[in-house]
Amino acid sequence: MQYDVFISYSRKDYVDESGNVIKGSIVEKIKNLLKDNGISYWFDEDGINSGDEFAHLIANSIKNSKVLIFVSSENSNKSEWTRKEIATAISYKKKIIPFKYDDAPYDDSINFYISDFDYIAYNNEDKSFKRLVSSIKQYLEHEAVAVNKQKIEKLEAEQKVLEEKCNETVDKINSIEKEICKLDKNRKERLLEHLGYEKKDGTANLQAKPNKKNGWLIAVLLLVLVYAVVISVMNFGNSATEEEIHTVVEEVEPVVTQPEEKKIEAKPVKKELKDITVKVNGASFEMIAVKGNGKIGDFLIGKFEVTQGLWKTVMGTTISQQRDKLDPSFKLRGVGDNMPMYYINWNDCQDFIKKLNSLTGKKFRMPSEAEWEYAAKGGAKGGVVPQGWNEDNSNGGTHLVGSKEPNALGLYDMTGNVSEWCRDKKGYEHVVKGGCWASSTENCKVTSRSYLDEMIRSDETGLRLVMD
């Protein structure tokens, strides 16, 4: 669903410590203001939750809104979530309108993003609210005009291409007619008879040439019927004989050929996959062989999630540098060579895989959701999926890979620690599996699925490699 406005605010400015809505709060006033002026909005009524599902909801709601109103206050300037929302809005190139409820200065990271933006100060309620509504409506009208202009330009471009094709078709027909006219009268009549033209007064005559403006469909049909035959005649030139013209016409007729005898070739025997250890630039990681079940083929999958050490070896960037691409003020949820990599979006993962393949000469890729889930359940062996690091035991961050019990295949952290990108997608959103350090136990089930936009970098999402 599309919205006009996304409201970014601090929960403390909307409800009291008991969770009751504060009557007359600035957030409630802005909601009512938008509603009264027919401006649709998205608003997180229930407060901040943890996990990829909520991050996806927030990101998707910002993506589907045209304007983000940042209700700036002492509380919201300290909120990590408002910083993430502003950063996401900027990545989607959304209009941001800061509404300063009090005189509290922007947090450094927020100041980095919106210091140059014009803001609306809440000093006179009537004037401030009128200016806010006016700013939103002016932008919405401007965007609507821009969208309509783009549509008109696209239609005009398509019309121009269509007219050019029509003219090209008519020019080809004219050229063909000229070549036919070069033939002597007798050969011309015989050829036109083969092409199905009627004789009038003992002479075969061409039909009227199609009009360039409204006859292009007729021209196309004529081209399809005539072009294959006549283009060959044109290659013969003026020296073509009647026999050659008959030969050209006959070549258009369908030719029935006998089916070739099928050759039986021995199918190559597929080698059985075995566990392997891959070395790259002094680092190594293990891949576990998974036997398929008929619906899923055999494949190799990483014993551990991609670690920060492996990422640095391949890409040359640290977890801090990846975090800084999003916002230097965001928290690091565990640092170390044997900690899982995070703050990586789907496109970052594709770059990593491409470079890893170049370095090793192998063909690594992301798992499909079906492969991931099959491996998480233990493959053909089956078995209980051990509990991973989640909101109940993670203490708010990631942990060393392999520090929990493995599943039946010897794979670690298939649930919890960081959730993992899969290659399956819906639009610009890709499947994310496994839950993470901030997810509930329910959302860490191997059958749970969430979607995340391919451009989102999160402190909750990493990667596990697969290879055929």
Side-chain angles (χ1 to χ4, degrees):
M1 183 176 177
Q2 296 290 322
Y3 304 94
D4 294 328
V5 170
F6 177 99
I7 303 176
S8 177
Y9 75 106
S10 169
R11 186 77 174 160
K12 293 179 181 179
D13 292 331
Y14 183 57
V15 297
D16 58 26
E17 294 181 354
S18 301
N20 298 316
V21 175
I22 301 172
K23 297 296 183 182
S25 69
I26 186 61
V27 179
E28 187 178 45
K29 287 182 178 180
I30 290 176
K31 282 177 56 183
N32 293 334
L33 176 72
L34 298 179
K35 184 178 180 180
D36 293 341
N37 284 275
I39 300 172
S40 63
Y41 63 88
W42 192 91
F43 175 79
D44 172 33
E45 186 73 37
D46 299 322
I48 298 299
N49 295 298
S50 298
D52 283 339
E53 291 78 11
F54 184 76
H56 162 69
L57 175 63
I58 292 293
N60 198 51
S61 299
I62 294 173
K63 182 179 179 180
N64 290 325
S65 300
K66 299 172 183 176
V67 177
L68 181 141
I69 295 177
F70 170 53
V71 184
S72 174
S73 69
E74 182 177 0
N75 292 321
S76 63
N77 279 294
K78 297 177 182 178
S79 170
E80 182 178 342
W81 274 100
T82 55
R83 292 198 295 271
K84 288 183 177 181
E85 289 165 355
I86 291 171
T88 302
I90 288 176
S91 70
Y92 286 132
K93 299 181 180 179
K94 300 296 181 180
K95 170 72 173 179
I96 298 177
I97 301 177
F99 187 89
K100 298 196 74 170
Y101 174 58
D102 55 29
D103 295 329
Y106 292 145
D107 178 88
D108 287 344
S109 58
I110 291 179
N111 189 63
F112 174 80
Y113 286 121
I114 64 174
S115 58
D116 294 332
F117 291 1
D118 290 335
Y119 65 86
I120 298 173
Y122 184 70
N123 42 32
N124 180 296
E125 184 169 289
D126 288 339
K127 291 183 179 180
S128 299
F129 281 177
K130 285 181 180 179
R131 186 181 171 193
L132 178 60
V133 171
S134 175
S135 297
I136 295 171
K137 288 190 172 182
Q138 283 180 10
Y139 179 79
L140 296 178
E141 291 171 0
H142 173 76
E143 187 185 52
V145 170
V147 169
N148 289 334
K149 183 178 179 181
Q150 289 176 355
K151 289 181 178 179
I152 292 171
E153 291 174 348
K154 183 179 179 181
L155 289 173
E156 289 176 345
E158 291 175 349
Q159 182 181 0
K160 184 177 180 180
V161 171
L162 186 59
E163 289 175 352
E164 290 175 351
K165 288 183 177 179
C166 175
N167 291 336
E168 289 174 3
T169 302
V170 173
D171 290 340
K172 288 180 180 179
I173 294 297
N174 292 338
S175 176
I176 292 170
E177 290 178 356
K178 289 178 182 179
E179 291 298 326
I180 293 176
C181 291
K182 290 179 182 179
L183 302 175
D184 61 44
K185 179 179 179 182
N186 184 49
R187 289 156 63 194
K188 176 180 177 183
E189 288 178 1
R190 294 177 65 85
L191 177 59
L192 293 177
E193 285 179 17
H194 280 289
L195 298 177
Y197 285 85
E198 295 181 359
K199 282 188 175 183
K200 294 182 180 179
D201 301 325
T203 304
N205 295 311
L206 282 173
Q207 295 178 359
K209 183 169 57 179
N211 183 277
K212 285 189 177 184
K213 293 184 178 180
N214 54 25
W216 68 274
L217 284 175
I218 299 174
V220 172
L221 292 174
L222 180 60
L223 178 62
V224 172
L225 294 171
V226 177
Y227 193 70
V229 177
V230 180
I231 196 65
S232 297
V233 176
M234 290 167 60
N235 291 333
F236 281 99
N238 293 331
S239 62
T241 64
E242 292 179 10
E243 183 180 354
E244 289 170 334
I245 294 175
H246 281 298
T247 302
V248 173
V249 175
E250 289 172 0
E251 287 178 351
V252 180
E253 298 298 323
V255 179
V256 180
T257 58
Q258 296 296 327
E260 295 183 4
E261 183 180 351
K262 292 183 179 179
K263 296 180 180 180
I264 301 175
E265 297 180 357
K267 294 183 178 180
V269 179
K270 188 175 181 180
K271 294 182 180 180
E272 184 177 353
L273 292 181
K274 296 182 179 180
D275 297 354
I276 62 171
T277 298
V278 181
K279 295 183 179 180
V280 52
N281 290 349
S284 63
F285 58 96
E286 297 176 70
M287 301 291 289
I288 302 297
V290 180
K291 184 175 179 59
N293 61 358
K295 295 182 179 179
I296 298 174
D298 299 347
F299 61 96
L300 291 157
I301 188 167
K303 184 176 182 179
F304 305 107
E305 295 163 327
V306 170
T307 62
Q308 295 173 25
L310 178 58
W311 186 276
K312 183 179 179 180
T313 297
V314 175
M315 301 298 290
T317 54
T318 65
I319 188 67
S320 298
Q321 290 171 320
Q322 280 298 126
R323 183 272 314 274
D324 292 349
K325 292 178 181 180
L326 180 61
D327 190 321
S329 70
F330 286 178
K331 292 181 180 179
L332 293 173
R333 304 293 183 174
V335 180
D337 285 348
N338 291 322
M339 304 289 279
M341 191 63 186
Y342 51 94
Y343 280 128
I344 50 177
N345 64 28
W346 198 87
N347 294 324
D348 293 333
C349 294
Q350 297 309 304
D351 293 339
F352 169 79
I353 290 171
K354 183 178 180 180
K355 192 167 183 179
L356 178 63
N357 289 343
S358 176
L359 291 171
T360 62
K362 300 185 183 297
K363 294 183 178 179
F364 293 99
R365 59 178 174 82
M366 282 183 176
S368 67
E369 181 182 14
E371 288 172 333
W372 188 97
E373 195 166 309
Y374 180 72
K377 292 178 179 177
K381 298 179 182 180
V384 177
V385 180
Q387 184 187 37
W389 297 108
N390 57 47
E391 67 176 1
D392 295 331
N393 57 18
S394 69
N395 196 29
T398 63
H399 292 260
L400 293 172
V401 298
S403 54
K404 283 283 187 180
E405 292 296 317
N407 70 357
L409 291 173
L411 302 174
Y412 291 86
D413 300 310
M414 292 302 290
T415 62
N417 221 7
V418 291
S419 54
E420 300 168 15
W421 288 105
C422 291
R423 68 183 185 187
D424 303 70
K425 65 182 298 185
K426 182 175 69 175
Y428 290 102
E429 296 179 329
H430 290 261
V431 172
V432 175
K433 298 287 286 186
C436 69
W437 56 267
S439 300
S440 64
T441 303
E442 182 69 20
N443 289 329
C444 283
K445 290 181 178 179
V446 298
T447 53
S448 298
R449 174 200 298 130
S450 60
Y451 290 95
L452 205 60
D453 189 284
E454 62 186 27
M455 297 300 294
I456 296 297
R457 293 186 176 99
S458 168
D459 55 8
E460 301 173 353
T461 310
L463 171 67
R464 189 181 299 264
L465 294 170
V466 159
M467 185 174 69
D468 294 317

